Amino acid sequence: MAINSTKQDEKIKNHSNKELLTRIFSYLKPYKLKVFIIILLMIFVMICSLLNPYLLKIAIDKFIKNKNIKGLFVIAILMIIFNLVAMAASKIRINMMAKVTNDAILTIRQELYEHIQKLSFNFFDSRPVGKILARVVGDVNSLQNLFANSITSFIPEILTLICVTVIMFSLNFKLALVSIAMLPLLFIGLFSVQTFSRKRWQTFRGKRSNLNAFTHEDFSGIRVVQSFAVEDKTEKTFLNYVKEMMNAFVNAVKLNDLFWPMVEISWGIGIILVYWYGVKLIKANAVTVGTLLAFTGYIGMFWHPIMNISNFYNTLITNFAAAERIFEIMDIQPNLINMENCIKMPKIRGEVEFKNVTFGYNCDVPVLNNVSFKVKAGETIALVGPTGAGKTTIINLLSRFYDPSYGEITIDGKNIKHVDIESLRSQMGIMLQDTFLFSDTIMENIRYGKLDATDEEVIQAAKAVNAHSFIMKLEKGYHTQINERGSRLSVGQRQLISFARALLANPRILILDEATSNIDTATERLVQKGIDKLLFGRTSFVIAHRLSTIRDCDRIMVIDNGKIVESGSHDELIKYKGLYYDLYASQYKFLNEGA
């Protein structure tokens, strides 16, 4: 899979307007009743607004002309009552609409988050985290105005436009035709703008995504940035990203800003034409003054919905790019999914077998090549070999983070492709080389291995790996809050906490990937006692470059160039004098020279 860096614009598949609208508004289905009530309230407000010019016409033509003060007073009271009730209905509608919109946005964000969590590792391997965050946060937020405008603007304004048009034609057919004379030209202009605007908004959101990705990556690696004193370089790079995003935004906005002048010019010309033609009709006694005044009120009510519909259309075009980016992620299917009729993994005994397994992260470059081995239940297997030989890949495949390109992997005779992924991983304890701690207390970070564990169980796990003593020296002990990735702790301390988390899970198969690589020799001796207790009675795989830590393993498998080149106990491999012997001898010589 091609890797998208922070500098590369993401390629997004274009969707038809109909497809996007159908998919976006499907999120309003659970709120059909509320939406219906909102529409009724808006129709009521619309009717009250439509009555104002008509009541004004009656007041002028009947009561003012005939000097009927009582009738005029009644009209005034009616208009006040209608408008006060309309204001109350409008406020209720606004509150209900805000609730519906926020709930719909929450649903989209939650679905997107849950979907991303199910995606395979190769999805995250192929793009910066910042670009994923841009979709979960920024792009989803962009849909909020779209939902609000669709109900508060589009639906009622269409109804208003229809009603006003009917009233205008009923008042005077010729004036009505004159008032809408500019509509064809307006529609042609809006369609032309839309054709180019959507592409420009796609470009802007792509540039913003690049900026988010770079910013996230830069702050995540701030220690490296500061340690090499390259702040000036990253500042210049950041400025370039900002300029690219700003230029893309300006280009998109320039085109979008053409919407309003086109509508307002059409509106203005329409009013001029109505007055010009209306005066002629009055002179010819074809219409009354009250009718012309009512008509000018209605023409404002005719163009105002068009303005709002144009605003909605503008919002639609602006946010189509965001919707495409969201649905592009949602349409990605995980590479690793439960097969139909998959079974729950029963309690694992621990027999593991690789049968002619071949795999590569890039299909053209295999990392493992036709690897086969068997492990008995309860055995402790050490995987050693040069960097990049394929040790961690074996662990990734066993944990089913990836599936082999060829061959199969079985646990207790069951192909792991045919079992429920969660039921498999829940019985495996994995401590990866890349130690990750969350922004939470030490207690909760350890409890991540078993969410229902008691505080006492957490403490016992920490004691088993000798993390308890250093934890208790911290300001709040187990309730000490640590920041993202635990950067305030030493690397060794972070590993101990991560190790306690793996211990707490009480797994049937234990995987330790360089578990003691960053622990000093004195601490390692203490931790080794806890490891020995943990390894007893369960199948374990241990990856270690420090060969002194794996001497007592039941079997050591030496990996080189994607193949198992040697297998046996420490003493057997030393006597064999192959690659393991060379690695052990060179490490022993290095330590002696260092001493």
Side-chain angles (χ1 to χ4, degrees):
M1 177 179 288
I3 296 176
N4 183 275
S5 70
T6 60
K7 298 179 181 179
Q8 290 176 289
D9 294 336
E10 297 165 287
K11 294 181 180 179
I12 306 297
K13 177 184 175 183
N14 287 326
H15 296 74
S16 68
N17 292 353
K18 181 181 177 182
E19 181 185 354
L20 284 173
L21 283 173
T22 302
R23 197 160 177 183
I24 290 169
F25 293 120
S26 66
Y27 288 94
L28 292 177
K29 285 183 179 179
Y31 313 101
K32 286 186 288 189
L33 178 60
K34 288 185 178 180
V35 171
F36 180 69
I37 294 172
I38 291 168
I39 292 173
L40 288 180
L41 290 171
M42 287 189 294
I43 291 173
F44 175 76
V45 174
M46 176 192 71
I47 292 171
C48 291
S49 299
L50 291 173
L51 283 173
N52 282 330
Y54 188 74
L55 292 174
L56 182 63
K57 175 185 180 299
I58 294 173
I60 293 172
D61 288 346
K62 290 188 177 182
F63 301 122
I64 293 178
K65 184 177 180 181
N66 299 322
K67 298 181 180 181
N68 186 340
I69 303 300
K70 183 178 179 181
L72 192 62
F73 181 74
V74 171
I75 289 290
I77 294 297
L78 284 175
M79 291 182 72
I80 292 171
I81 292 172
F82 277 136
N83 283 282
L84 286 176
V85 175
M87 287 174 60
S90 182
K91 186 173 182 180
I92 294 171
R93 183 265 300 171
I94 290 171
N95 291 335
M96 288 185 68
M97 189 61 241
K99 182 70 168 61
V100 168
T101 299
N102 288 328
D103 287 348
I105 292 297
L106 178 63
T107 301
I108 293 176
R109 200 189 308 276
Q110 188 66 24
E111 279 190 15
L112 180 61
Y113 177 78
E114 289 175 0
H115 179 75
I116 290 174
Q117 283 212 121
K118 295 175 184 176
L119 293 178
S120 310
F121 276 14
N122 58 0
F123 168 79
F124 299 95
D125 292 341
S126 64
R127 68 200 71 206
V129 173
K131 293 194 176 185
I132 301 173
L133 292 177
R135 306 202 190 197
V136 176
V137 181
D139 291 333
V140 174
N141 285 345
S142 298
L143 296 183
Q144 190 153 7
N145 287 337
L146 181 60
F147 279 119
N149 287 342
S150 66
I151 297 176
T152 59
S153 295
F154 185 68
I155 297 174
E157 301 300 356
I158 285 289
L159 293 174
T160 302
L161 194 59
I162 293 170
C163 292
V164 170
T165 303
V166 170
I167 293 172
M168 286 168 63
F169 274 94
S170 66
L171 286 174
N172 189 285
F173 187 82
K174 292 180 180 179
L175 274 178
L177 285 177
V178 170
S179 65
I180 65 172
M182 295 299 296
L183 275 183
L185 290 176
L186 175 63
F187 288 150
I188 292 171
L190 292 179
F191 180 77
S192 301
V193 170
Q194 179 268 338
T195 303
F196 300 100
S197 180
R198 183 171 168 184
K199 183 64 178 176
R200 292 193 181 186
W201 282 110
Q202 285 178 338
T203 302
F204 161 68
R205 294 196 182 280
K207 297 300 182 184
R208 189 177 68 175
S209 181
N210 292 347
L211 175 64
N212 285 348
F214 171 78
T215 306
H216 179 273
E217 187 174 83
D218 184 60
F219 289 156
S220 295
I222 192 64
R223 290 176 181 270
V224 176
V225 172
Q226 292 184 354
S227 63
F228 284 94
V230 292
E231 290 91 341
D232 288 344
K233 178 183 180 300
T234 56
E235 286 171 11
K236 290 178 182 177
T237 305
F238 179 81
L239 182 60
N240 288 335
Y241 278 110
V242 172
K243 285 181 178 178
E244 286 183 359
M245 185 187 73
M246 181 185 68
N247 290 336
F249 179 76
V250 170
N251 286 335
V253 169
K254 277 181 181 177
L255 205 55
N256 263 51
D257 284 348
L258 292 176
F259 273 89
W260 319 127
M262 284 190 291
V263 175
E264 289 174 349
I265 289 171
S266 300
W267 186 346
I269 294 174
I271 291 175
I272 291 171
L273 290 175
V274 167
Y275 274 114
W276 170 76
Y277 193 67
V279 170
K280 283 189 173 185
L281 292 178
I282 290 174
K283 288 180 179 178
N285 293 321
V287 295
T288 64
V289 174
T291 300
L292 180 59
L293 288 176
F295 211 94
T296 55
Y298 280 121
I299 197 172
M301 296 177 68
F302 175 81
W303 281 100
H304 188 62
I306 290 178
M307 174 71 82
N308 287 338
I309 291 170
S310 300
N311 181 34
F312 168 71
Y313 187 61
N314 195 12
T315 303
L316 199 66
I317 298 308
T318 302
N319 292 293
F320 266 166
E324 283 178 322
R325 288 165 55 82
I326 292 168
F327 296 139
E328 188 259 346
I329 293 286
M330 286 188 173
D331 289 339
I332 296 175
Q333 294 301 314
N335 286 4
L336 300 174
I337 57 174
N338 287 326
M339 297 178 64
E340 288 187 21
N341 302 319
C342 68
I343 61 171
K344 294 283 185 181
M345 188 71 183
K347 186 175 181 180
I348 292 175
R349 296 191 310 276
E351 296 174 2
V352 175
E353 184 174 5
F354 274 53
K355 299 178 181 179
N356 304 312
V357 171
T358 297
F359 172 77
Y361 299 100
N362 184 328
C363 296
D364 299 329
V365 184
V367 177
L368 295 181
N369 192 358
N370 200 31
V371 171
S372 298
F373 63 84
K374 290 184 180 179
V375 176
K376 297 177 182 178
E379 271 194 309
T380 299
I381 306 298
L383 302 176
V384 302
T387 300
K391 304 182 295 296
T392 300
T393 300
I394 289 176
I395 299 309
N396 286 338
L397 293 174
L398 179 60
S399 308
R400 212 187 164 203
F401 293 141
Y402 303 88
D403 276 337
S405 306
Y406 303 100
E408 67 178 50
I409 302 167
T410 65
I411 295 178
D412 297 340
K414 295 178 177 62
N415 189 328
I416 61 174
K417 279 188 178 181
H418 301 156
V419 301
D420 178 77
I421 295 175
E422 186 178 351
S423 68
L424 170 68
R425 291 180 185 163
S426 64
Q427 299 188 64
M428 303 180 74
I430 306 170
M431 183 177 173
L432 300 175
Q433 187 174 3
D434 182 18
T435 301
F436 191 95
L437 299 180
F438 298 92
S439 300
D440 209 332
T441 62
I442 290 177
M443 178 75 75
E444 293 306 315
N445 265 281
I446 297 175
R447 204 194 307 274
Y448 210 79
K450 182 184 176 186
L451 297 179
D452 60 349
T454 64
D455 289 358
E456 184 58 33
E457 288 176 316
V458 171
I459 293 171
Q460 288 303 317
K463 286 181 177 178
V465 298
N466 292 286
H468 179 74
S469 57
F470 93 78
I471 292 174
M472 293 307 295
K473 291 177 182 177
L474 298 175
E475 181 182 356
K476 295 182 181 179
Y478 284 87
H479 298 289
T480 300
Q481 193 80 19
I482 57 178
N483 53 357
E484 185 179 3
R485 294 181 179 269
S487 58
R488 291 184 181 179
L489 301 175
S490 70
V491 176
Q493 288 173 331
R494 296 201 298 269
Q495 265 191 318
L496 287 174
I497 291 173
S498 181
F499 198 27
R501 181 165 62 196
L503 288 173
L504 185 63
N506 191 25
R508 303 305 304 161
I509 294 178
L510 178 67
I511 296 170
L512 305 178
D513 188 352
E514 294 292 340
T516 60
S517 60
N518 294 313
I519 300 174
D520 60 81
T521 305
T523 305
E524 182 187 337
R525 290 171 184 160
L526 297 174
V527 172
Q528 195 65 47
K529 296 178 181 178
I531 293 177
D532 293 340
K533 293 178 184 178
L534 179 65
L535 297 181
F536 181 76
R538 55 171 55 90
T539 304
S540 305
F541 290 84
V542 181
I543 297 177
H545 282 110
R546 196 181 295 178
L547 302 183
S548 59
T549 63
I550 59 169
R551 294 185 55 163
D552 296 329
C553 290
D554 296 316
R555 192 165 16 135
I556 298 171
M557 293 195 298
V558 184
I559 319 295
D560 190 27
N561 292 324
K563 295 183 178 180
I564 299 175
V565 294
E566 297 174 21
S567 180
S569 67
H570 170 77
D571 293 335
E572 290 171 344
L573 295 178
I574 290 295
K575 289 178 182 178
Y576 183 70
K577 291 193 175 181
L579 179 58
Y580 179 79
Y581 175 84
D582 293 339
L583 291 171
Y584 189 82
S586 61
Q587 195 170 106
Y588 184 76
K589 180 181 178 182
F590 175 78
L591 292 173
N592 281 339
E593 287 176 351

